[in-house]
Amino acid sequence: SLLRSLFNGRDLLAEKRNEFGWAHYSPTDQSGQPLVLSIPRDYSPQTRYPLLVLLHGLGQRPRPDPDRICEEPVIRIWPWGRGDTGYRGLGARDVWNAIEAVQSWYSIDPDRILLMGFSMGGHGAWSLAARRPYRFAAVGAVSGWPLPDLLLNLRDLPVHALHGGRDETVPVFFSRYAHAVLGPVN
């Protein structure tokens, strides 16, 4: 059991590989907040790994696939971000807390933290990166919408935006506007 392993000084995360569900502590409300972790099969604490933070879309829920074998030398996290908050308020705070928790648990290269999201998660990627561009090596937004007032904060950050012209939920105008402000993939 978890308590037994804690009493024996055993680090449960040190043994985990591939994809699994976990939780990080939220100091804001003293709750455990779910996330999915993906750890390379051959993870070594002596190697510094890039961290890919994936943000889910509206109505989606991060769910681990315990059969997924992780061959790539990258650590991935899918924080829940309090569900459908648009990654505002507690949802944004939870993403920052998840990043900090994973950095304390695993050997992460702080210069290779990447942020990516789809739809509402794409909006989260745009807005979180615009608020703290110095935290990320690059950002990817798929069918998301940026915050126009903060868009120029991303001018020195590599940004990749994908958006279908027939998107009926989030108009492609938003990605075209971001491209006009920032120029081609920077």
Side-chain angles (χ1 to χ4, degrees), residues 51-167:
L51 175 64
L52 176 58
V53 181
L54 300 164
L55 304 180
H56 65 84
L58 183 68
Q60 297 175 330
R61 297 296 176 258
R63 298 194 196 305
D65 178 357
D67 295 327
R68 181 170 292 142
I69 305 298
C70 302
E71 301 288 345
E72 301 87 14
V74 62
I75 294 175
R76 293 183 192 91
I77 61 170
W78 292 271
W80 185 49
R82 304 285 168 136
D84 298 331
T85 63
Y87 298 99
R88 293 183 302 267
L90 279 177
R93 184 71 242 154
D94 284 347
V95 173
W96 300 121
N97 288 341
I99 292 169
E100 290 167 8
V102 171
Q103 285 181 294
S104 72
W105 297 332
Y106 294 101
S107 179
I108 303 293
D109 182 344
D111 295 326
R112 294 190 297 163
I113 299 177
L114 314 163
L115 181 64
M116 184 176 176
F118 168 73
S119 194
M120 179 188 77
H123 168 68
W126 280 114
S127 62
L128 292 173
R131 284 188 168 88
R132 297 184 188 176
Y134 55 88
R135 291 291 310 266
F136 300 104
V139 63
V142 180
S143 299
W145 63 99
L147 298 173
D149 295 348
L150 299 177
L151 203 50
L152 285 177
N153 292 352
L154 300 171
R155 67 182 162 264
D156 297 325
L157 185 66
V159 173
H160 191 75
L162 297 172
H163 208 130
R166 295 184 183 173
D167 189 333

